[in-house]
Amino acid sequence: GGEGMDPSRPALDDVKWLPRDAMEVGGDVRALFDDDPETRWTTARSQAGPELRGPEVRFRHPVALGSVHFSLGRYPLDFPRGLRIEGRRGEAWSVLADAPLVVPVRGLAAAPTSLHLRFEVADPGPVEAVRFVFTGTTAQWASIGELSFGVR
């Protein structure tokens, strides 16, 4: 179908995508879900430490995540040098994935110029929200062009 043409959702046979309407996509996270490689969410400053708090995405109902996917669009150098993905249950946040060193892999057949990052979620329990913490150190900003979630 046409789903493989979506630049933020590459054709990955092992991923069942979370529908967009399952997320609250207003405010500062709107650019993450607009299917436009020209727009992005960004830190607007270097990843030179200390830890930078990234966007928070709330779900309409608790979701059991299997993977988190970033498409960097036109900003391939703005990949996170280190990233922690946290999930919220009630008032408590816990670590879903921790990538202290992110090494990007280029070359999706559908969009060879974009950069796609996939993070596996180790904690299978449903979460009400996720947030991103950039933990690396570099002069580059951190940006996310499009964001999508694989569910269990």
Side-chain angles (χ1 to χ4, degrees):
E3 195 163 84
M5 298 304 292
D6 180 340
S8 66
R9 296 183 179 192
L12 298 173
D13 292 339
D14 63 331
V15 176
K16 179 183 173 199
W17 299 109
L18 179 68
R20 292 274 166 85
D21 62 6
M23 296 168 265
E24 298 176 12
V25 297
D28 69 338
V29 300
R30 188 173 289 120
L32 295 172
F33 303 104
D34 64 1
D35 295 322
D36 182 351
E38 302 287 324
T39 65
R40 62 179 168 166
W41 178 95
T42 182
T43 57
R45 67 182 182 92
S46 72
Q47 301 176 63
E51 294 183 348
L52 286 173
R53 182 68 50 83
E56 181 178 323
V57 177
R58 289 180 293 283
F59 302 116
R60 298 190 190 284
H61 304 284
V63 174
L65 297 176
S67 54
V68 177
H69 302 258
F70 288 6
S71 178
L72 300 187
R74 291 193 49 237
Y75 307 95
L77 296 180
D78 287 5
F79 67 91
R81 298 321 195 260
L83 181 71
R84 190 170 65 244
I85 302 171
E86 300 175 340
R88 180 173 56 78
R89 297 177 183 97
E91 299 301 311
W93 289 91
S94 61
V95 175
L96 301 180
D98 194 4
L101 177 64
V102 176
V103 180
V105 177
R106 224 181 249 285
L108 287 174
T113 58
S114 79
L115 194 60
H116 180 81
L117 302 176
R118 175 177 179 160
F119 302 93
E120 298 299 325
V121 173
D123 182 338
V127 294
E128 299 160 35
V130 293
R131 68 183 178 193
F132 302 91
V133 181
F134 298 95
T135 60
T137 302
T138 180
Q140 291 289 139
W141 293 6
S143 297
I144 307 168
E146 296 294 314
L147 175 64
S148 47
F149 298 97
V151 294
R152 292 182 189 273

